[in-house]
Amino acid sequence: MTERCDLLISNVNAATMDPSLPGGYGAVEDAAVAVTGGRIVWIGPRRELPECAADQVVDGEGQWLTPGLVDCHTHLVYGGHRASEYARRLGGESYEEVARAGGGILSTVRATRAASAEQLYHGAEPRLKALLSEGVTTVEVKSGYGLELDTELKQLRTARRLAQHYPVDIVTTCLAAHALPPEYDGRPDEYIDLVCEEILPAVAREQLADAVDMFCESIAFTVEQCQRVIDRARELDLPVKAHAEQLSSSGATSMASKAGALSVDHIEYITDMDVAAMAENGTVAVLLPGAFYTLRETRVPPVDKLRASGVSMALSTDLNPGSCPIASLRLMMNMGCNLFGLTPAEALAGVTRSAARALGLCCSRGVLRAGLRADMVLWPMETPDQLAYEYGALKPSEIFFGGKNVTAG
Ligand code: NIG
Ligand code: FE
């Protein structure tokens, strides 16, 4: 480290989430962190801090510092809402029944196609602000409510535009294979042709997506159709992920893992073979307890088996107008523990280190370590266990994005 730095935070306890340090949090008590050029240049026990002149010094007052949170699976940009469908489901209709009757994802497709880019942008802003107020510094945003080239592009451009105006990195994913659009009714293979031959190449040409996703389910696409989307994405040099095994078991998780997917998401219905395929290929399990909760599902993902097999488990909001209209990653930490059996330390790893891995970004964020981005959150708490345990009153006291203090208000 040089003898001067931009920012020095001292008198903090760091939940580094560094797996090479002991304990679930990789905790360093009474720590100091030095930042230059938006990156951490030194972190460790304060007494070992080398001589350093800082442009700005922050006294952490004994609070806890964590990595900036990463929400690795959202459908943040969409038109309309589905409150009436929620009431129908409370009345007994299932998610699949609503979808088969032309509602569900297709209802949001109609609203998203009808919305202007400006309307989509302003609709997404309050949801993004809610995430940012909780210390989220990286958000993945999927398309998938266009299901035609122009609207898919409109969604992805809107997502990119949000990052120009808010202190957040937005990672975009093309989810054109989300549902069968009505104009292709009865012709799913032809729609997959459109995805592979028109939509994905255009998105790749404009560099509008960082990855490609798909929904493999009886109300969406088959494993074979998803395999075609994966093959095309690989040809275009785009990493892949999949909505898999959410409502039934299909083999999508094994297929996607063997094809090198970054993550498979939902996975309530995976088998032991799927878990083995994920472990073997380093595929991250993205757990979405908010969708499980909202749809009042009963089958939980096999967390014990994933843990025993060493599969990284991320947690995310899945923020979307159907299965999870809940803009809180902190609440997902609590649900991940209460509903799925994660430990509080696993929940924090799930929204930092493992979420970064699910996006292919583990070299740049998700852990407090020299060389990584200085995305960091200071919390007024006595133990990091409070992040999963408490909800509502515990808010970040400071948020740093690329080393800059971006705390709102
Ligand atoms: O992750 N499973 C498919 N897609 C979304 C839900 C989209 C919607 O209902 O609008 C999900 O749950
Ligand atoms: Fe989703």
Side-chain angles (χ1 to χ4, degrees), residues 330-378:
R330 287 283 316 292
L331 186 53
M332 299 307 135
M333 294 176 70
N334 179 264
M335 287 185 180
C337 295
N338 272 27
L339 302 177
F340 289 174
L342 297 184
T343 66
E346 285 174 332
L348 185 57
V351 297
T352 55
R353 184 178 74 227
S354 300
R357 269 197 73 184
L359 298 176
L361 295 177
C362 56
C363 297
S364 67
R365 68 201 68 203
V367 168
L368 300 179
R369 182 193 292 146
L372 271 61
R373 284 183 58 93
D375 296 345
M376 308 179 290
V377 189
L378 195 60

Side-chain angles (χ1 to χ4, degrees), residues 179-226:
L180 188 64
E183 60 276 17
Y184 279 84
D185 202 16
R187 299 182 294 135
D189 287 316
E190 288 175 42
Y191 178 64
I192 295 295
D193 291 343
L194 179 84
V195 171
C196 293
E197 281 155 32
E198 190 184 329
I199 301 181
L200 293 184
V203 162
R205 212 166 30 245
E206 288 202 40
Q207 298 189 337
L208 274 174
D210 302 302
V212 170
D213 196 349
M214 60 219 69
F215 186 19
C216 195
E217 194 56 69
S218 56
I219 51 170
F221 298 102
T222 64
V223 174
E224 292 69 31
Q225 287 159 347
C226 290

Side-chain angles (χ1 to χ4, degrees), residues 73 75 82 95 104-105 108 145 178 215 243 246 266 288 291 318 320-323:
H73 178 144
H75 309 247
R82 308 223 298 266
Y95 184 68
I105 293 170
T108 302
Y145 292 124
H178 194 195
F215 186 19
H243 284 69
Q246 178 187 12
H266 288 290
L288 304 170
D318 196 14
N320 76 76
S323 66

Side-chain angles (χ1 to χ4, degrees), residues 114-319:
S116 67
E118 208 54 24
Q119 286 168 328
L120 286 184
Y121 181 85
H122 292 302
E125 277 187 303
R127 297 188 279 272
L128 180 62
K129 284 184 192 167
L131 295 178
L132 300 193
S133 72
E134 293 189 327
V136 173
T137 49
T138 299
V139 180
E140 186 257 15
V141 179
K142 301 176 195 296
S143 64
Y145 292 124
L147 315 183
E148 63 184 9
L149 180 60
D150 287 353
T151 312
E152 289 288 310
L153 295 177
K154 182 170 68 178
Q155 273 193 279
L156 293 169
R157 288 192 189 112
T158 302
R160 289 264 207 249
R161 187 176 153 212
L162 287 163
Q164 291 163 7
H165 296 97
Y166 287 92
V168 63
D169 275 340
I170 302 246
V171 177
T172 52
T173 301
C174 181
L175 176 58
H178 194 195
L180 188 64
E183 60 276 17
Y184 279 84
D185 202 16
R187 299 182 294 135
D189 287 316
E190 288 175 42
Y191 178 64
I192 295 295
D193 291 343
L194 179 84
V195 171
C196 293
E197 281 155 32
E198 190 184 329
I199 301 181
L200 293 184
V203 162
R205 212 166 30 245
E206 288 202 40
Q207 298 189 337
L208 274 174
D210 302 302
V212 170
D213 196 349
M214 60 219 69
F215 186 19
C216 195
E217 194 56 69
S218 56
I219 51 170
F221 298 102
T222 64
V223 174
E224 292 69 31
Q225 287 159 347
C226 290
Q227 175 83 64
R228 286 183 57 205
V229 175
I230 290 184
D231 291 345
R232 189 70 183 112
R234 305 301 300 233
E235 282 168 16
L236 294 165
D237 234 1
L238 287 166
V240 295
K241 40 187 50 245
H243 284 69
E245 262 82 28
Q246 178 187 12
L247 308 166
S248 61
S249 190
S250 66
T253 294
S254 288
M255 181 277 285
S257 300
K258 287 177 192 156
L262 287 172
S263 71
V264 287
D265 303 34
H266 288 290
I267 61 164
E268 278 84 347
Y269 285 84
I270 51 172
T271 62
D272 291 355
M273 253 169 55
D274 294 324
V275 175
M278 293 169 75
E280 200 170 313
N281 294 284
T283 310
V284 177
V286 177
L287 308 179
L288 304 170
F292 168 91
Y293 161 84
T294 302
L295 299 185
R296 299 197 289 172
E297 296 289 337
T298 51
R299 167 106 166 211
V300 297
V303 161
D304 289 345
K305 289 180 179 165
L306 291 166
R307 184 187 290 125
S309 304
V311 174
S312 293
M313 294 181 281
L315 273 175
S316 172
T317 58
D318 196 14
L319 179 50

